[in-house]
Amino acid sequence: MTTVRERAREALADSDVFGSLTDDELDRLIGYGTTTTYRSGQVIFQKGDPGDSLAVVLGGRVKISTVSLDGREALLTFVDPGHSFGEIALLDGKPRSADATAVEATELFVLKRRDLLAYLEQHPEIALRIIGVLCQRLRRTTEILEDVFLLQMGPRIAKALLRLVADYGRRCPDGSVRIEVKLSQRELGSYVGLARENVNRQLGAWRGEGIIAFEAGHIVVRRLDRLKAIAEERG
């Protein structure tokens, strides 16, 4: 049975931020951190909380979201094992810019800001790697905002499904792609900025056309080419 330290080391070695560290560097970094667990649905932090740490998901899944001006949840992204969250607050020390919630039973490796900044002073190349991760996520956020303002309902939902396929898709023997993260229609609506009823109506139409299917709470894309064509429609 692997120890918590070994699992933390394995996750950090595969992580998008710390994957370039040597074994010795990883072992030293682990010495700065702690592990903590959250039950399904438990809030990890809320928007406005002190931004004093970065976390790497060891197991489970974390949802990052915020609340729109009209009071609805806006789903930003999911964080899976080997990936991190909290980098922005870590670097600027300001309050959290979004909420983080455990979607299922989740274990985190947590690095306090003061400890990681001291470590980054010794390894500035890791700071550059974190900046690269933040730039990538900013591009993704910009893309989502462009979709909200520029695309009609069908293309907007199609592009959201394609992003989920790219991040969580698993190719099935029949050529279809199963999205391995479970999303309710309300959550998908908050992800694309549409009411649940609109998402439900559009998904139902695509199901009738054989473009998608539903399987044990998962969306299965049966005609990826058709979904891509819809995503490119501009009105």
Side-chain angles (χ1 to χ4, degrees):
M1 184 174 180
T2 58
T3 65
V4 171
R5 184 182 181 88
E6 288 171 337
R7 284 188 287 112
R9 189 174 185 275
E10 181 178 351
L12 289 174
D14 291 337
S15 76
D16 47 359
V17 173
F18 302 109
S20 65
L21 270 65
T22 66
D23 290 346
D24 289 341
E25 289 169 341
L26 284 173
D27 287 337
R28 286 197 294 272
L29 182 62
I30 289 172
Y32 285 104
T34 58
T35 58
T36 184
T37 57
Y38 293 86
R39 65 183 181 276
S40 178
Q42 186 174 358
V43 174
I44 299 169
F45 58 71
Q46 293 181 304
K47 184 176 181 178
D49 285 350
D52 60 356
S53 63
L54 170 148
V56 178
V57 179
L58 300 182
R61 177 173 287 141
V62 173
K63 176 177 68 175
I64 307 298
S65 62
T66 188
V67 178
S68 63
L69 293 177
D70 60 1
R72 293 186 300 173
E73 180 187 52
L75 176 61
L76 302 178
T77 191
F78 289 99
V79 188
D80 288 314
H83 295 272
S84 59
F85 62 97
E87 297 91 347
I88 294 178
L90 174 77
L91 294 176
D92 65 16
K94 294 181 180 180
R96 300 291 187 186
S97 58
D99 302 333
T101 307
V103 178
E104 55 193 66
T106 297
E107 185 174 23
L108 303 179
F109 177 78
V110 181
L111 288 162
K112 291 294 185 180
R113 181 173 188 268
R114 62 178 182 273
D115 295 327
L116 186 53
L117 290 181
Y119 184 83
L120 293 178
E121 288 180 359
Q122 304 172 35
H123 303 280
E125 72 279 4
I126 304 305
L128 293 176
R129 188 174 180 87
I130 292 177
I131 291 172
V133 170
L134 292 178
C135 289
Q136 183 180 23
R137 293 180 184 175
L138 179 59
R139 289 191 187 97
R140 172 63 68 88
T141 301
T142 301
E143 179 185 341
I144 292 172
L145 289 175
E146 288 177 347
D147 292 348
V148 169
F149 286 110
L150 299 178
L151 297 182
Q152 298 297 318
M153 182 175 69
R156 193 191 306 184
I157 297 174
K159 287 196 72 173
L161 290 180
L162 290 174
R163 283 194 295 270
L164 293 170
V165 164
D167 291 340
Y168 305 105
R170 179 177 63 83
R171 183 73 64 173
C172 301
D174 63 359
S176 62
V177 180
R178 172 182 160 118
I179 297 174
E180 290 299 324
V181 60
K182 286 187 177 181
L183 278 178
S184 68
Q185 290 173 1
R186 180 186 61 80
E187 289 173 322
L188 183 57
S190 71
Y191 185 54
V192 298
L194 291 168
R196 178 188 62 80
E197 294 79 7
N198 291 334
V199 172
N200 180 45
R201 185 166 59 252
Q202 184 63 78
L203 293 182
W206 288 345
R207 182 181 187 179
E209 296 175 34
I211 297 172
I212 66 167
F214 299 102
E215 182 180 290
H218 296 270
I219 296 174
V220 178
V221 179
R222 298 201 178 279
R223 296 190 58 192
L224 191 60
D225 57 341
R226 179 69 182 118
L227 196 65
K228 290 178 179 178
I230 294 171
E232 295 301 317
E233 295 174 0
R234 290 286 169 174

